[in-house]
């Protein structure tokens, strides 16, 4: 596995945020401009390639660390062409519908 670690000294996260960070539509954006899809899509792409991503923080105002691991070779059961290519627009519409349904419930 190749491992890439991204670390910052930013605003950090609470345990609630850390718990939900990879959920679709989860956002802390105070401006109303964020869709909350970036980390969810990143997580999906990484896991579809046989890898994993983890988030860690020391808490609010303590920065954050993201660790991404990807295999150096494709998994044996996965051959070229086996990876499902997702249409980003279709995925967004699917997730948008699910979000509206949850909000209506």
């Amino acid at each position: 596995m190749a491992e890439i670690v991204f670390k910052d000294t930013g605003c950090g996260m609470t345990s609630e945020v850390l718990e939900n960070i990879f959920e679709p539509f989860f956002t802390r954006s105070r401006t109303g401009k964020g869709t909350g899809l970036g980390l969810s899509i990143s997580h999906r792409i990484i896991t579809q390639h046989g890898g994993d991503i983890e988030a860690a923080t020391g808490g609010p105002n303590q920065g954050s660390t993201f660790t991404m691991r990807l295999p150096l070779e494709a998994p044996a059961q996965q051959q070229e062409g086996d990876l499902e290519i997702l249409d980003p627009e279709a995925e967004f519409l699917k997730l948008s519908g699910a979000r509206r349904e949850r909000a209506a419930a």
Side-chain angles (χ1 to χ4, degrees):
M1 299 287 262
E3 182 177 273
I4 302 170
V5 178
F6 301 91
K7 189 172 189 172
D8 68 32
T9 58
C11 64
M13 297 176 263
T14 63
S15 58
E16 178 197 1
V17 170
L18 190 58
E19 243 176 66
N20 297 292
I21 197 78
F22 297 112
E23 293 293 320
F25 299 109
F26 183 81
T27 181
R28 286 184 26 174
S29 176
R30 293 173 189 93
T31 63
K33 295 182 181 180
T35 61
L37 289 173
L39 287 173
S40 174
I41 290 170
S42 297
H43 183 271
R44 181 180 290 180
I45 291 168
I46 292 165
T47 56
Q48 283 180 334
H49 285 84
D52 65 81
I53 183 169
E54 296 173 355
T57 184
N61 301 314
Q62 300 294 312
S64 301
T65 301
F66 288 84
T67 304
M68 179 178 67
R69 292 176 201 85
L70 288 167
L72 295 174
E73 296 181 20
Q77 73 275 13
Q78 181 183 357
Q79 301 297 319
E80 189 174 328
D82 285 351
L83 186 62
E84 179 185 0
I85 305 299
L86 301 174
D87 175 13
E89 184 178 2
E91 286 297 301
F92 176 78
L93 292 173
K94 239 191 293 186
L95 292 170
S96 295
R99 183 180 190 190
R100 282 192 300 274
E101 287 173 15
R102 278 197 318 261

